Amino acid sequence: MRERRRETTPLGDLKLAETAQLSDDFIRQLSAVGEVDVLVGIPTFNNKDTIERVVRAVQIGLTKYFHRERCVLINPDGGSTDGTPEIFKNASVSDFEIMLTSNPLRTFHRVSAPYHGIPGKETALRTLFVAADLLRAKACAILSPASLSVTPEWIESLVRPAYRESFDFVAPLYQRQKFDGLLLKGLLAPVVRAAYGVRIREPIASDLGLSGKLARHFLEQNIWDQDVTTFGLEIWMTTTAIVHGFKISESFLGPRIQPAPQFGQDLPGTIRQVVGALFKCLEMQESYWLPRTGSESLPTFGFQYDVALEPLKLSTKTILDNFRSNIGQLVPVLESILTPATLVEIRKMIDLPDKQFRCPDELWVKTIYEFAAAYHHSAINRDHLLQALTPLYRARVSSFILQNTKAPAAKLDQRVEDLGQEFERQKPYLIDRWSAKAGGER
Amino acid sequence: MQSSPLWYKDAVIYELHVRAFYDSDGDGAGEFKGLTNKLDYLKDLGVSAVWLLPFYPSPWRDDGYDISDYTGIHPAYGTLDDFKAFLEEAHRRDIRVITELVLNHTSDQHPWFQQARSSRDNPKRDWYVWSETPDRYKDARIIFTDTEQSNWAWDMSSKSYYWHRFFSHQPDLNYDNPAVREEMWNVMKFWLDMGVDGLRLDAVPYLVERDKTSCENLPETHAVLKFLRHRLDENFSDKMFLAEANQWPQDVRAYFGNDDECHMAFHFPLMPRMFMAIKLEDRKPLVDVLQRTPAIPAACQWGTFLRNHDELTLEMVTMDERDYMYDEFAKDARAKLNIGIRRRLAPLMENDRRRIELLNGLLMSLPGTPIIYYGDEIGMGDNIYLGDRNGVRTPMQWNGGWNAGFSDADPERLYAALISNPLYGYQVVNVESQRRSEHSLLSWMKQLIRVRKSTRVFSRGTMDMLQPLNHRVLAFVREFEGAKILVVSNLSSQAQAAELDLRRWKGTVPIEMFGGNPFPRIGDLPYLLTLGPYQFYWFRLRQL
C-alpha cells in the first residue's frame, strides 16, 4: 500500500506564493477570482485554429456538470503572436444557451495571462499550479489547446473523479486508431507498468485531471529547473503521483483527434524528450521502483465506446528503409549501449525481407532495458544514446504494423497486453543491468 | 398626518400579525388594543408604515386569509372601534396603516358562498366559479401542491364543482360578474374611508379564469384592477394598492399598468437571490435579476423584503437554483413547505449577525420600499415543528419574563408556543434586552432605518451597477436629484479588495454615511476599497 502524504500546511502555501513569478496583472485577476472549486487550465502557444472550440467545450462542460461550483478557466499563454489570447477571451457559448439545461449559479471567470520565462509547457503548467495553489482549487483539469475532439463531457470525466471521488490524478483514456500512439503503447506505458507497477495507459497525457492537493505537491518539488521538467513534464507528473502514493484513476474520453505531425516528423526529438524523461524519472525514483514487483490496473471512469476512426496511413517501406540506412552507421554507438547478444539479434533483422520483418517482443524489451541501464550509467553521451534508439524504434514500429495490419482491435489490445507482460517478466533483467557497475559486462 | 401622495415610495414598512404582536387582555393572543399599546415601539424603531395580516372574521383555516366578513373585525382581535382607535394612534405617530385584502377568494363560510351553494338559482350563485366537471381550466397549475390535488372541489349541496386556486375551503370569487367587482370596491371604500392608507391585494394574478390559459396574469384580471384603481383615484388622493403577484418581474410589471393599476408590487424574484448571493458569495444572482427587472412608472414602486409571513418562496427561481436553495437553507427537510422554505431570517443566516446585517443593508439600499417582518429586527427564531407556516408566526418576544412579555395568560393558553430554545429563545432574544445595548441588532436596525430615511436617494434614485473585477463585491451608485450614494457590499465570508471604476464621479469625496467620515477623493485611478467579511459601505458622494 502506498503511503498517503499529509496535507500542505498554510505556511507551505505562503512559501509557494512568495517564490512564484507571476505578473501583477495575473495576480490582480486571480485575486478577483478568489477561492475556487474547479480550475481548468489551457496552456497555449499560437493555437488560434483550435482554441475557441476547446474554450467553448470547457464552458459548456462547466455549466452542465459544475454549475454550482466556483470555477475558473485559466489560459497561460507563452507569447502567442496569432491572437490566441484574444480568441480565448472572446469565445462565447451564447449560441448554445438554449440547449443548456443548467445555468451557472455563479460568475464564470476567465483569466488569460502571458507567463514569464521561456515559452513551453513546463512554464505554463507551473503557472497553473501556482494559480491552483493561490486559489486553493479543489480539482483541476488541464486540456490541450489543440484537441479537435474535445467535448463538454471531457470536463466531467477529468474533474469529477478528483472533485467528488477523491482521486488525485485522473489520466485520460482515449479511443485511438490502432496504429496511433505506438511510442506510448510500445514503450512508455509498458515500462511504467513494469517499473512502477501501475497499468496506466496514457502516462504522458496532455489532457488530465488533478486534485488541488496534487497540483500543490507538484509545485513543491525541487524539480522545476531540471531538464526533466523542461522536456518531459507529463511523464514526471505521472510517475511522481505514483511514487508519492496519490490516488490515480483513468477516465474514458472517447476519440482523440488533433492535428498530428506525420509519423517520423522529428522522431529523434520526440524520443529524446519523452524517452529521455522516462529514463531520467527511473533514475530519480529508483528507490521506489527497484523493489517493486507485479502491476495493478486502475479504476476507470466512463463508458467505453467505439467509433470508427479514419485509419492512419503508415508506409512500413519508408520506415524500414530509414531503419536499414541508419543502423549501419550506429553500430559503433550501439556497441556501447547494448549487449553483444542483443546487437547480434538486431543485426539479423537488417537482412530480413520486408514482409517477414519482425522485431519480437522479447528482443524489444531487452533492447529498451539495456538502453535504460546505459542511460543510467551514462555509458555514452545521453543525447547520443537516445538518438541511437530512433532507428530501433522504427524497426519495432514496422514490425508491429506488419504483424497487425489485419488484426482486429481486440487482438491488438491483446498484443499490447502481451508486450506489457513481457516488460514485467523481464524486469529482473532491467534491475540487473541497472544495478550493475558502470562499464560492467555487456 | 400630512397628505403625501407618494408616501409609499419613501416608506419603511413593518409587517406584523395582530395576533402575534401583543396580548393586552390576557387571552393568549394579540389584539388591536395590544397593538396600539406597542405603537411607540414601532415609532422608536423608525418604521413609517405597518402592514397588518388579515384581521377579519374568519374560521382561521388559513390564518385569516379565509375571510368570512370583509367589513368586520375578528372578535379575537377586538372591535371596529378598537381598530379605529389603533388607526388614529398610528396616524398620530406618523405611521401609516396598510391592511390586507384578499380579493381572489373568500372563506367557504362567507355568507356569499353559503348562499351561492344553497341553490343553483340563488342570486349569489354567480359570485363564484362553478362547473359540472372538474375538466375546465386544466392548464392552471396547483399552487398548494402539498395539500391540494385539484383546483376544483365538489360541493355536495349544489352537486357541482367550484373553483379554488388555493385551499379547497377558499372558493374563488367570479370577477366576470360586475356585481362582485362593485361589491369589492365597496369593501375597499369602507376601509379607506375609515382612514386605512393602503391595501395589500392578496393573490391578484388569479382573479379571472379562461380556458386554455394558465389563468394567471390575464388581461381580464388587469381590467379588474384598472376598474378598482379608477374608483380609487376618483375618491382618494394618497391611498395605495400593493399587489401580491409572485411572478417574474416582466410579468409583475403589468400590475403597475400605466400607473393605472397598482402603486406597488412585491419583487418576489429578488428575495431568494439576496440569500443566494450571500451563500454563493457571488453577485451574479442579484445582478442577473436586477438586469431583468423592467422600468416602472415614476409613481410606482417595488416592495422588497427578506422574509414575510409565508415560506421563502422558490417559485421564481430556476430548478438548479431551487435545488441549491433547498440544499443550503433547508438541510432539515421539515423546513420545506410547498415550493419554499419556512424559516425566519436569523435561522436562515445561522444567527450570523454579520450576514443578517448585510442582508438588511442590501434590503435598505436596493431600489424599492423595504418591508421588515416583525421579530426579524431582533433576530427572532422560528419553530419548524409547527404545521404550515405557523412556525414563523409565533408570539413577539418583548422581554425575558413571563410569556416573553407577550401575554399574561397561562403559557398553555397562548395561540402558539413561544420560541424557547437556547439560541433563539425569548430569554436570549427579546426587545427589552436589546434596547439596553447600543450594540444589539435592534439598535443597529434603528440606525440603519434612520440612515435609510435620511435621504430619498434610496427610495427614489436611479441605480448604476458597477462591475468590479471581484465578483464577491456588489457595488452600485444610486442617484436622485443630484444626490449620489455609492453602495459597496462584500458578499463573502472573507476580507475582499475591490477596485471600482468611479471616474464618472471624479472629484467627489465619499462620506461614509454611518460614521460621517470622509474617504479619499475620487480621481482617475481605480478606487480601491477593502472590506471585511460581509461588510458593506454606504457613501454619500459629495462635491467638496
Side-chain angles (χ1 to χ4, degrees):
Chain A
M1 198 71 180
R2 294 189 286 269
E3 191 184 330
R4 301 299 307 273
R5 57 178 302 282
R6 289 182 304 156
E7 293 286 336
T8 309
T9 64
L11 192 62
D13 294 347
L14 282 176
K15 187 189 78 185
L16 296 172
E18 282 163 10
T19 55
Q21 293 184 343
L22 303 180
S23 70
D24 287 350
D25 181 56
F26 191 45
I27 290 174
R28 193 171 139 266
Q29 292 187 69
L30 291 183
S31 71
V33 174
E35 190 172 341
V36 298
D37 300 307
V38 178
L39 180 153
V40 179
I42 309 177
T44 55
F45 183 65
N46 289 336
N47 298 106
K48 75 176 172 63
D49 293 335
T50 51
I51 185 68
E52 184 175 16
R53 179 184 172 79
V54 179
V55 172
R56 284 158 59 101
V58 170
Q59 268 190 275
I60 295 169
L62 290 173
T63 301
K64 274 178 80 174
Y65 300 108
F66 299 97
H67 56 270
R68 278 191 190 184
E69 279 69 22
R70 296 167 295 181
C71 301
V72 62
L73 175 55
I74 297 183
N75 165 228
D77 184 76
S80 296
T81 53
D82 64 350
T84 296
E86 289 70 32
I87 299 171
F88 171 88
K89 282 179 203 157
N90 298 326
S92 162
V93 292
S94 55
D95 51 337
F96 271 85
E97 274 171 9
I98 49 166
M99 293 165 61
L100 292 173
T101 54
S102 298
N103 287 305
L105 300 183
R106 302 173 188 273
T107 303
F108 178 73
H109 289 278
R110 212 186 311 206
V111 176
S112 180
Y115 52 79
H116 291 252
I118 309 160
K121 195 158 188 183
E122 68 292 343
T123 320
L125 288 181
R126 189 180 187 186
T127 304
L128 284 177
F129 295 152
V130 171
D133 177 46
L134 287 173
L135 302 181
R136 290 188 281 174
K138 293 183 178 66
C140 310
I142 296 165
L143 293 183
S144 161
S147 178
L148 296 174
S149 53
V150 60
T151 69
E153 283 60 43
W154 284 27
I155 293 298
E156 192 206 16
S157 301
L158 294 173
V159 174
R160 187 174 292 276
Y163 186 64
R164 300 211 193 280
E165 313 291 341
S166 71
F167 284 92
D168 295 301
F169 188 89
V170 188
L173 184 58
Y174 304 109
Q175 185 203 355
R176 287 180 180 269
Q177 202 281 338
K178 65 181 183 180
F179 297 137
D180 179 27
L182 292 180
L183 185 61
L184 197 68
K185 294 173 189 166
L187 198 163
L188 300 169
V191 169
V192 170
R193 166 181 173 159
Y196 294 88
V198 176
R199 288 180 223 159
I200 185 166
R201 286 167 280 188
E202 297 276 350
I204 53 162
S206 49
D207 306 300
L208 74 159
L210 300 171
S211 66
K213 190 172 62 173
L214 181 55
R216 208 169 294 118
H217 176 81
F218 287 150
L219 198 57
E220 285 171 341
Q221 303 309 300
N222 186 21
I223 196 79
W224 292 95
D225 298 324
Q226 298 185 31
D227 274 0
V228 70
T229 58
T230 308
F231 297 119
L233 198 59
E234 292 92 344
I235 195 78
W236 173 81
M237 289 195 296
T238 303
T239 58
T240 300
I242 296 170
V243 167
H244 290 268
F246 286 93
K247 276 182 75 179
I248 302 174
S249 68
E250 293 177 310
S251 277
F252 182 71
L253 301 185
R256 175 177 182 264
I257 303 166
Q258 60 181 49
Q262 290 295 306
F263 178 84
Q265 188 181 329
D266 196 26
L267 185 62
T270 305
I271 287 183
R272 191 173 65 245
Q273 289 180 17
V274 180
V275 181
L278 173 62
F279 289 169
K280 177 80 176 170
C281 288
L282 288 173
E283 194 163 61
M284 289 161 52
Q285 296 159 339
E286 62 176 16
S287 62
Y288 177 83
W289 63 265
L290 277 171
R292 204 151 291 270
T293 55
S295 67
E296 293 170 5
S297 61
L298 293 171
T300 303
F301 291 88
F303 178 73
Q304 295 190 42
Y305 57 88
D306 283 332
V307 292
L309 293 172
E310 196 178 331
L312 286 179
K313 288 173 186 154
L314 296 175
S315 161
T316 50
K317 183 170 186 329
T318 313
I319 302 171
L320 275 177
D321 288 349
N322 211 312
F323 161 66
R324 290 186 182 113
S325 63
N326 284 307
I327 195 71
Q329 311 161 23
L330 283 173
V331 166
V333 176
L334 292 175
E335 283 172 345
S336 309
I337 298 168
L338 300 172
T339 59
T342 304
L343 195 52
V344 165
E345 292 301 313
I346 287 171
R347 294 181 84 159
K348 281 184 192 166
M349 291 194 303
I350 300 173
D351 299 325
L352 288 172
D354 279 9
K355 286 195 176 170
Q356 291 160 27
F357 188 87
R358 292 290 179 272
C359 176
D361 285 357
E362 188 182 350
L363 175 61
W364 173 242
V365 173
K366 193 165 284 199
T367 303
I368 294 303
Y369 281 167
E370 288 177 11
F371 263 84
Y375 178 95
H376 173 53
H377 297 307
S378 295
I380 60 168
N381 173 288
R382 288 181 166 183
D383 276 354
H384 294 167
L385 177 142
L386 292 165
Q387 214 162 345
L389 182 58
T390 307
L392 301 181
Y393 173 68
R394 290 186 202 279
R396 170 65 188 178
V397 165
S398 302
S399 164
F400 189 80
I401 294 170
L402 287 166
Q403 232 181 323
N404 296 295
T405 303
K406 291 180 182 168
K411 183 80 178 164
L412 204 74
D413 288 347
Q414 185 55 49
R415 295 219 163 119
V416 170
E417 171 60 21
D418 292 345
L419 179 65
Q421 288 180 14
E422 182 61 24
F423 268 96
E424 277 193 55
R425 193 183 66 76
Q426 290 197 46
K427 183 172 177 181
Y429 181 69
L430 169 64
I431 295 170
D432 283 350
R433 302 291 310 166
W434 189 272
S435 307
K437 284 186 181 172
E441 185 196 353
R442 294 204 176 91
Chain B
M1 178 167 253
Q2 281 191 333
S3 176
S4 170
L6 298 180
W7 62 269
Y8 50 88
K9 292 201 73 162
D10 305 318
V12 174
I13 298 174
Y14 188 89
E15 180 196 2
L16 64 87
H17 202 339
V18 177
R19 180 163 63 170
F21 212 56
Y22 184 60
D23 170 23
S24 68
D25 59 11
D27 67 352
E31 69 297 295
F32 276 109
K33 279 184 178 161
L35 175 56
T36 308
N37 284 345
K38 293 296 184 185
L39 281 170
D40 285 340
Y41 168 75
L42 298 177
K43 175 74 179 169
D44 186 44
L45 180 60
V47 300
S48 36
V50 290
W51 154 28
L52 306 178
L53 295 186
F55 47 73
Y56 308 94
S58 161
W60 277 354
R61 293 183 66 191
D62 184 18
D63 213 12
Y65 283 87
D66 46 338
I67 296 169
S68 56
D69 175 5
Y70 279 103
T71 54
I73 300 286
H74 196 289
Y77 296 150
T79 64
L80 262 180
D81 285 341
D82 292 340
F83 178 78
K84 286 175 187 168
F86 155 73
L87 203 52
E88 189 179 329
E89 287 300 310
H91 285 169
R92 201 163 64 79
R93 290 168 178 80
D94 288 326
I95 295 174
R96 294 186 186 261
V97 175
I98 302 163
T99 60
E100 189 88 40
L101 191 64
V102 185
L103 286 178
N104 181 65
H105 51 262
T106 67
S107 160
D108 60 4
Q109 302 304 305
H110 196 292
W112 299 343
F113 188 69
Q114 292 298 320
Q115 292 173 53
R117 77 192 324 182
S118 65
S119 142
R120 295 189 176 206
D121 302 326
N122 190 285
K124 289 283 189 298
R125 179 74 178 179
D126 194 36
W127 282 42
Y128 292 88
V129 182
W130 299 94
S131 173
E132 297 308 312
T133 75
D135 298 329
R136 293 172 70 195
Y137 313 138
K138 274 197 164 308
D139 296 330
R141 69 193 167 111
I142 295 166
I143 294 168
F144 287 159
T145 50
D146 283 2
T147 48
E148 300 297 330
Q149 278 84 49
S150 167
N151 286 321
W152 291 102
W154 176 248
D155 177 48
M156 295 282 285
S157 7
S158 61
K159 301 215 175 341
S160 51
Y161 293 93
Y162 62 88
W163 179 250
H164 62 90
R165 284 309 297 271
F166 294 88
F167 291 118
S168 57
H169 56 78
Q170 292 167 323
D172 277 28
L173 286 162
N174 176 16
Y175 277 89
D176 284 327
N177 184 340
V180 170
R181 296 200 290 269
E182 202 61 50
E183 184 57 27
M184 288 316 289
W185 164 248
N186 288 335
V187 168
M188 288 176 162
K189 190 166 184 300
F190 174 84
W191 294 105
L192 296 169
D193 278 340
M194 199 180 296
V196 165
D197 301 284
L199 296 171
R200 186 243 189 208
L201 308 180
D202 185 64
V204 287
Y206 314 103
L207 299 184
V208 180
E209 303 75 31
R210 290 290 179 270
D211 262 325
K212 295 179 181 168
T213 73
S214 66
C215 297
E216 295 179 24
N217 310 316
L218 299 183
E220 293 85 348
T221 289
H222 287 288
V224 173
L225 291 171
K226 284 182 200 298
F227 162 81
L228 295 170
R229 173 66 183 268
H230 181 67
R231 287 289 174 88
L232 181 79
D233 290 343
E234 278 180 340
N235 289 273
F236 303 97
S237 60
D238 58 353
K239 307 291 187 184
M240 180 273 285
F241 284 163
L242 166 58
E244 188 220 19
N246 190 354
Q247 308 282 328
W248 290 103
Q250 62 270 27
D251 295 325
V252 178
R253 169 65 184 81
Y255 288 90
F256 295 113
N258 294 316
D259 191 20
D260 57 358
E261 291 190 29
C262 294
H263 305 77
M264 285 185 70
F266 292 108
H267 199 316
F268 278 97
L270 178 63
M271 181 270 297
R273 284 169 180 81
M274 287 194 266
F275 290 91
M276 209 183 303
I278 283 189
K279 199 71 188 177
L280 289 165
E281 303 195 355
D282 196 317
R283 65 171 183 257
K284 183 175 183 285
L286 280 171
V287 173
D288 284 353
V289 77
L290 289 167
Q291 279 173 348
R292 291 180 63 174
T293 301
I296 57 176
C300 295
Q301 179 74 306
W302 293 105
T304 55
F305 60 100
L306 295 170
R307 293 302 317 112
N308 63 15
H309 59 287
D310 284 330
E311 68 275 20
L312 190 166
T313 174
L314 297 175
E315 287 186 81
M316 293 302 118
V317 297
T318 64
M319 293 292 278
D320 290 334
E321 289 168 337
R322 187 176 302 160
D323 289 345
Y324 179 78
M325 290 292 284
Y326 278 142
D327 288 349
E328 294 297 334
F329 292 107
K331 291 191 169 76
D332 185 332
R334 275 174 291 234
K336 293 182 188 175
L337 180 73
N338 298 318
I339 302 173
I341 301 167
R342 48 178 184 169
R343 300 227 67 161
R344 270 185 177 272
L345 177 61
L348 284 167
M349 291 295 101
E350 298 165 299
N351 213 23
D352 181 342
R353 171 79 179 267
R354 295 173 305 178
R355 281 188 281 167
I356 293 170
E357 287 185 3
L358 175 57
L359 273 175
N360 277 299
L362 290 174
L363 177 72
M364 295 283 172
S365 58
L366 287 168
T369 292
I371 300 162
I372 302 165
Y373 186 49
Y374 86 92
D376 281 350
E377 74 275 20
I378 57 171
M380 260 176 68
D382 51 33
N383 182 358
I384 56 173
Y385 298 96
L386 293 176
D388 199 10
R389 291 150 290 178
N390 297 322
V392 299
R393 301 174 185 181
T394 59
M396 179 70 177
Q397 296 171 188
W398 294 103
N399 60 46
W402 185 259
N403 289 337
F406 166 73
S407 170
D408 290 334
D410 287 339
E412 297 82 5
R413 203 178 164 192
L414 298 185
Y415 76 92
L418 290 155
I419 304 294
S420 54
N421 64 58
L423 195 56
Y424 301 106
Y426 64 90
Q427 300 91 339
V428 186
V429 178
N430 63 69
V431 171
E432 189 54 38
S433 63
Q434 294 197 20
R435 257 187 184 150
R436 293 168 64 168
S437 167
E438 286 182 16
H439 306 289
S440 66
L441 179 59
L442 177 61
S443 299
W444 183 87
M445 285 291 291
K446 284 182 196 173
Q447 190 187 16
L448 183 75
I449 294 167
R450 179 183 57 76
V451 176
R452 151 91 194 192
K453 287 169 64 183
S454 68
T455 169
R456 290 201 292 187
V457 175
F458 286 125
S459 52
R460 303 197 185 195
T462 57
M463 184 172 77
D464 281 308
M465 191 65 78
L466 305 179
Q467 300 290 339
L469 206 53
N470 189 336
H471 65 279
R472 284 151 300 187
V473 173
L474 176 75
F476 51 85
V477 174
R478 306 288 313 272
E479 196 163 351
F480 180 68
E481 293 181 344
K484 303 164 194 74
I485 290 175
L486 166 66
V487 176
V488 189
S489 305
N490 174 12
L491 304 170
S492 140
S493 57
Q494 294 160 1
Q496 299 294 336
E499 291 179 336
L500 305 176
D501 181 358
L502 299 177
R503 283 174 295 178
R504 277 175 61 191
W505 300 277
K506 181 183 167 183
T508 59
V509 176
I511 310 288
E512 201 278 320
M513 292 178 72
F514 289 87
N517 289 322
F519 273 51
R521 192 184 296 276
I522 294 168
D524 286 318
L525 294 174
Y527 199 81
L528 177 66
L529 279 175
T530 53
L531 300 102
Y534 301 121
Q535 188 183 8
F536 67 89
Y537 287 123
W538 292 357
F539 294 109
R540 198 184 288 269
L541 301 181
R542 295 188 60 187
Q543 291 284 359
L544 295 173

